[in-house]
């Protein structure tokens, strides 16, 4: 996309995101049920099995506040060694639900993020939105609402967006993926206490195409090598300040599914 067109699109994106942020956010302490909308109800019905599994895991072992929480689509859900890969962190929480979109993550931000009171939340979502026909601007709007919901109740929680990955099976979506990543990165530059984590660039080969060696046979989901790359990129973003580390609770890593 030419520079002038990109600037115009980003200006529109920022305007739309600000409008989204201006919408009433859930009030601190308000029960999630009181925030229900038709879109929320439909999404909850679709993901009832996954949400019930999370609730069961919480009853068995409730994660303590102040941890690091990952939320998003199947790339997060299938990260079976997530807690081990970041074992230096006292608490790791996996709240990935396969096939989900950034729109879903926005709707469930209170259910899957706010209730755990993490010090850091990392979200990976967006490629399923694009595959379903949503635009990069719509992905940004969903992420902006996600961030607003989290910040309304957890103003000190750091928010990190893991860039949309370049999958060989979705190579035709690369222009939209690049545009989505550019938009979210620019948006986060204006959002305090946030991070943009670029996993897109290291997942490209010297020919500029997605690296097939990082993926399973479906060329969509990561293999062990792909997760090792993600771990190496994300690890530096999980570091906390010495002051925070000194007051952090001690616990073994926790993750589900």
């Amino acid at each position: 996309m030419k520079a002038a067109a990109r600037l115009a699109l980003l200006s529109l994106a920022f305007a739309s995101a600000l409008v989204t942020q201006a919408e009433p956010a859930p009030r601190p302490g308000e029960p999630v049920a009181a925030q229900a909308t038709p879109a929320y109800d439909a999404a909850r019905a679709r993901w009832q099995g996954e949400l019930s599994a999370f609730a069961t895991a919480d009853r068995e072992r409730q994660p303590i506040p102040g941890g690091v929480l990952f939320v998003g689509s199947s790339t997060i859900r299938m990260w079976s060694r997530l807690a081990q890969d970041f074992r230096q962190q006292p608490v790791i929480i996996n709240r990935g639900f396969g096939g989900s979109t950034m729109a879903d993550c926005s709707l469930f931000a209170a259910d899957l993020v706010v209730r755990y009171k993490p010090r850091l939340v990392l979200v990976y979502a967006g490629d399923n939105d694009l595959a379903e026909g949503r635009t990069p601007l719509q992905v940004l709007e969903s992420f902006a609402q996600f961030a607003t919901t989290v910040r309304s109740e957890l103003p000190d929680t750091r928010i990190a967006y893991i860039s949309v990955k370049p999958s060989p099976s979705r190579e035709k979506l690369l222009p939209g993926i690049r545009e989505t990543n550019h938009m979210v990165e620019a948006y986060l530059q204006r959002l305090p206490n946030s991070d943009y984590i670029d996993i897109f660039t290291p997942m490209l080969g010297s020919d500029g195409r997605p690296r097939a060696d990082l993926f399973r046979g479906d060329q969509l989901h990561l293999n062990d090598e792909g997760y090792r790359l993600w771990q190496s990129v994300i690890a530096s973003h999980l570091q906390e300040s010495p002051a925070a580390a000194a007051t952090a609770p001690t616990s073994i890593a926790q993750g589900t599914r």
Side-chain angles (χ1 to χ4, degrees), residues 151-255:
R151 283 286 166 81
S152 69
E153 295 207 41
L154 305 174
D156 297 324
T157 292
R158 192 167 188 83
I159 298 172
Y161 183 84
I162 302 171
S163 67
V164 181
K165 69 181 187 297
S167 304
S169 66
R170 291 178 172 174
E171 193 166 3
K172 65 180 181 180
L173 297 178
L174 282 181
I177 290 172
R178 285 192 174 93
E179 200 60 40
T180 299
N181 289 338
H182 287 316
M183 283 185 173
V184 175
E185 181 180 19
Y187 172 73
L188 287 174
Q189 289 175 355
R190 302 173 61 161
L191 183 70
N193 197 23
S194 67
D195 277 313
Y196 172 79
I197 302 178
D198 178 21
I199 55 83
F200 179 90
T201 302
M203 294 186 73
L204 296 176
S206 58
D207 58 357
R209 301 183 63 185
R211 290 175 51 190
D213 62 303
L214 300 175
F215 292 84
R216 299 185 180 191
D218 61 7
Q219 294 295 281
L220 176 63
H221 297 104
L222 298 179
N223 59 22
D224 290 344
E225 183 63 26
Y227 280 117
R228 279 193 289 271
L229 185 149
W230 275 46
Q231 190 277 338
S232 67
V233 173
I234 293 172
S236 63
H237 294 270
L238 270 58
Q239 300 302 313
E240 57 186 325
S241 67
T247 59
T250 301
S251 172
I252 62 174
Q254 302 176 45

Side-chain angles (χ1 to χ4, degrees), residues 15-152:
S16 298
L18 290 173
V19 169
T20 301
Q21 287 189 318
E23 296 175 354
R27 293 190 296 273
E30 186 178 52
V32 173
Q35 304 159 16
T37 64
Y40 174 88
D41 290 340
R44 190 166 185 86
R46 178 185 179 189
W47 299 109
Q48 187 58 50
E50 285 77 3
L51 296 174
S52 295
F54 293 145
T56 298
D58 288 346
R59 285 193 296 270
E60 294 174 352
R61 186 177 191 181
Q62 179 68 37
I64 61 177
V68 175
L69 186 146
F70 288 75
V71 65
S73 59
S74 57
T75 301
I76 300 301
R77 181 182 66 82
M78 297 170 68
W79 199 337
S80 60
R81 290 184 51 83
L82 184 66
Q84 294 94 321
D85 284 346
F86 300 107
R87 62 179 64 87
Q88 297 85 355
Q89 302 300 319
V91 179
I92 291 288
I93 307 168
N94 187 330
R95 287 298 175 263
F97 50 122
S100 60
T101 62
M102 191 64 247
D104 291 323
C105 292
S106 174
L107 288 170
F108 294 137
D111 301 78
L112 300 183
V113 179
V114 172
R115 71 168 69 254
Y116 298 106
K117 298 180 174 60
R119 69 170 179 83
L120 168 65
V121 55
L122 301 96
V123 57
Y124 177 77
D127 51 348
N128 287 332
D129 301 71
L130 298 174
E132 292 177 6
R134 296 184 183 87
T135 66
L137 177 56
Q138 288 174 312
V139 177
L140 173 60
E141 289 171 339
S142 293
F143 176 69
Q145 185 57 56
F146 173 90
T148 298
T149 301
V150 173
R151 283 286 166 81
S152 69

